[in-house]
Amino acid sequence: MAVRVQEEDFDIGRELAALTAGNHAIGGLGVFVGLVRDIAGGQSVSAMSLEHYPGMTERQLEEIEREAHARWPLDASLIIHRVGDLAPGDNIVLVACASAHRQAALDATGFLIDWLKTRAPFWKREDTPDGARWVDAREADDTAAARWG
Amino acid sequence: MAVRVQEEDFDIGRELAALTAGNHAIGGLGVFVGLVRDIAGGQSVSAMSLEHYPGMTERQLEEIEREAHARWPLDASLIIHRVGDLAPGDNIVLVACASAHRQAALDATGFLIDWLKTRAPFWKREDTPDGARWVDAREADDTAAARWG
Amino acid sequence: MKLMYFAWVRQRIGAASETVEAPAEAATVEGLVAWLKTRGPGYAEAFKDTRAIRYAVNQEYVEPTHPVASGDEVAFFPPVTGG
Amino acid sequence: MKLMYFAWVRQRIGAASETVEAPAEAATVEGLVAWLKTRGPGYAEAFKDTRAIRYAVNQEYVEPTHPVASGDEVAFFPPVTGG
């Protein structure tokens, strides 16, 4: 279990290799990577800035990760979330779960990103031709999180 | 869309970077990596060998990939499957799907690996203390594939 | 009591955090909000629609009826949009 | 007609592939299996439980009743176990 909030980019290959290294009980690794899109809500986005609540962010991410381990038999998991100024195409978030079996790995990965999106205190501000705007929370994200009960 | 069957290992970081490079419409990347376990069916596994049906394998993988693109709005996808002699901890398969939205990326990834497991002509032989044995197909894999309809 | 503001709540109030001595009637999160709204137009603007605000006391989510005490860290922010 | 065998079907028969001239009555996949079983103990062993066998004609999955013709590539193998 590991949680990191950082301004720097992450190296996906290196992070995943470290996550599974030496544990030959792992049969499946589920991964989700979120990236900055250059269009959102029909408007072009030239840059994005991510604000967060230091301290509470890490607590929430750790709590979400503990919940995933309580629900699925995971060998390892990782959440990395970037903050600060980002550009289209940049990595935002990496979520990964390793398990003996693929279904647990993939389900736990979906659960982590769904819960993160509704509980972890991050806020996105996008630069558009009409100026900067705070991204509105999406009802679809609440629905996605709710299906995990 | 790309499908590869190869003996060599794959570099996950490089493959995923190539998959999303230059396409800033991508907001989410779903990934599954299958690895060789050192235990299966309660027995220790010292080595694994993967046989396949050259020609039919690629056709089936391409068909499965086309089906995923018909079901979800994907920007890119990739399936790499290794064959030949493997050891515990080695990568077996990489499946990745990129989309504007995370749910499509993750669902398509789950679909691809579930269908691959029941339709792509690969066969695993494991070396155990009792000798080599062909891995039996699991009913759970049929059930997993069937839920996609 | 330490108050923290994030995203557009922070921008409307014009501060990321402040340390206040809240009056006795501000004994819950919603009591605190009612008092903050009297402190100036930025506060009134930030809290004009409280359905759009989420609350945390000591870094845990709470309901508006949750009690607050002098040593608490109380945060106000919009629904989260990370990931 | 080209026949291909994989995994334990290949091992029991002792060949990965062969080119045969099947008799006229072997006009379907199951007809072909019935004829193959007469060709030796390895074939009989491989096909003793056909519920455990899958069939492909020209690299597409087919049912046992599927017709086969002289130019076809017909493959016999156990349920797949990749991934």
Side-chain angles (χ1 to χ4, degrees):
Chain A
M1 300 217 295
V3 156
R4 271 158 43 208
V5 180
Q6 61 188 45
E7 294 203 5
E8 321 80 74
D9 195 10
F10 43 80
D11 181 323
I12 300 173
R14 190 177 311 178
E15 297 295 344
L16 299 182
L19 195 68
T20 58
N23 185 347
H24 296 169
I26 294 171
L29 175 65
V31 184
F32 178 79
V33 183
L35 300 107
V36 181
R37 296 174 63 202
D38 61 7
I39 191 155
Q43 275 200 309
S44 72
V45 172
S46 57
M48 171 181 284
S49 177
L50 261 153
E51 182 173 333
H52 78 124
Y53 183 172
M56 181 169 173
T57 309
E58 290 81 356
R59 283 170 76 127
Q60 287 294 318
L61 294 179
E62 284 163 8
E63 203 172 302
I64 292 166
E65 204 179 28
R66 271 196 303 275
E67 180 67 27
H69 281 257
R71 292 181 180 219
W72 290 278
L74 302 181
D75 288 280
S77 61
L78 174 67
I79 306 174
I80 305 178
H81 203 297
R82 294 178 70 190
V83 292
D85 295 330
L86 302 174
D90 281 355
N91 294 321
I92 302 173
V93 61
L94 173 66
V95 165
C97 293
S99 176
H101 301 292
R102 79 179 181 287
Q103 205 56 58
L106 282 172
D107 285 352
T109 301
F111 168 84
L112 281 184
I113 187 65
D114 282 349
W115 270 38
L116 183 157
K117 277 199 165 274
T118 56
R119 304 200 181 190
F122 294 101
W123 300 274
K124 285 176 179 160
R125 199 182 61 225
E126 295 171 338
D127 288 346
T128 76
D130 294 345
R133 65 170 181 207
W134 291 98
V135 174
D136 276 332
R138 293 169 63 235
E139 207 177 310
D141 288 333
D142 289 331
T143 311
R147 77 198 160 102
W148 299 105
Chain B
M1 299 216 295
V3 156
R4 270 157 45 207
V5 180
Q6 61 188 45
E7 295 203 4
E8 320 83 71
D9 195 9
F10 44 79
D11 181 323
I12 299 173
R14 190 177 310 179
E15 297 296 344
L16 299 182
L19 195 68
T20 58
N23 185 346
H24 296 169
I26 295 171
L29 175 64
V31 183
F32 178 78
V33 183
L35 301 106
V36 181
R37 296 174 61 201
D38 61 6
I39 191 156
Q43 274 201 309
S44 73
V45 173
S46 57
M48 170 181 285
S49 177
L50 262 152
E51 182 171 334
H52 78 124
Y53 183 173
M56 181 169 172
T57 309
E58 289 82 355
R59 282 170 76 126
Q60 287 294 318
L61 293 178
E62 284 163 8
E63 204 172 301
I64 292 166
E65 203 179 30
R66 270 196 303 275
E67 180 67 26
H69 282 257
R71 292 181 180 218
W72 290 278
L74 302 181
D75 288 281
S77 62
L78 173 67
I79 305 174
I80 305 178
H81 203 297
R82 295 178 70 190
V83 291
D85 294 330
L86 302 175
D90 281 355
N91 294 321
I92 303 173
V93 61
L94 172 67
V95 165
C97 293
S99 176
H101 301 291
R102 79 179 181 287
Q103 204 57 56
L106 282 172
D107 285 352
T109 301
F111 168 84
L112 281 183
I113 187 65
D114 282 349
W115 270 36
L116 183 157
K117 278 202 164 272
T118 56
R119 304 199 182 190
F122 294 101
W123 301 274
K124 285 176 180 161
R125 200 184 61 226
E126 294 170 340
D127 287 346
T128 76
D130 295 345
R133 65 171 181 206
W134 292 97
V135 173
D136 277 331
R138 294 169 62 234
E139 207 178 310
D141 288 332
D142 289 331
T143 311
R147 76 198 159 103
W148 299 105
Chain C
M1 185 182 299
K2 185 177 185 188
L3 306 185
M4 302 189 74
Y5 311 114
F6 294 95
W8 53 255
V9 177
R10 171 178 57 71
Q11 287 189 313
R12 289 178 189 175
I13 288 173
S17 69
E18 60 183 328
T19 301
V20 299
E21 296 201 14
E25 64 267 28
T28 63
V29 169
E30 60 196 352
L32 199 51
V33 168
W35 172 67
L36 285 168
K37 285 169 82 169
T38 68
R39 295 184 72 218
Y43 292 93
E45 174 68 13
F47 292 113
K48 103 187 140 189
D49 179 7
T50 50
R51 287 171 308 180
I53 309 277
R54 299 294 176 269
Y55 312 100
V57 171
N58 300 325
Q59 307 190 350
E60 295 286 350
Y61 287 104
V62 297
E63 295 298 316
T65 53
H66 193 85
V68 292
S70 63
D72 286 344
E73 176 176 301
V74 185
F76 306 87
F77 47 78
V80 304
T81 54
Chain D
M1 185 182 297
K2 184 176 187 188
L3 307 185
M4 303 189 74
Y5 311 114
F6 294 95
W8 53 255
V9 177
R10 170 179 57 73
Q11 287 189 314
R12 289 177 189 176
I13 289 173
S17 69
E18 60 182 329
T19 301
V20 299
E21 297 200 13
E25 64 268 29
T28 62
V29 169
E30 60 197 352
L32 198 53
V33 168
W35 172 67
L36 285 169
K37 285 169 83 167
T38 68
R39 296 184 73 217
Y43 291 93
E45 174 68 14
F47 292 113
K48 101 185 143 192
D49 178 8
T50 50
R51 288 170 308 179
I53 309 277
R54 300 293 177 268
Y55 312 100
V57 171
N58 300 325
Q59 307 190 350
E60 296 286 350
Y61 287 104
V62 297
E63 295 298 314
T65 53
H66 192 86
V68 293
S70 64
D72 286 344
E73 176 177 301
V74 186
F76 305 87
F77 47 78
V80 304
T81 55

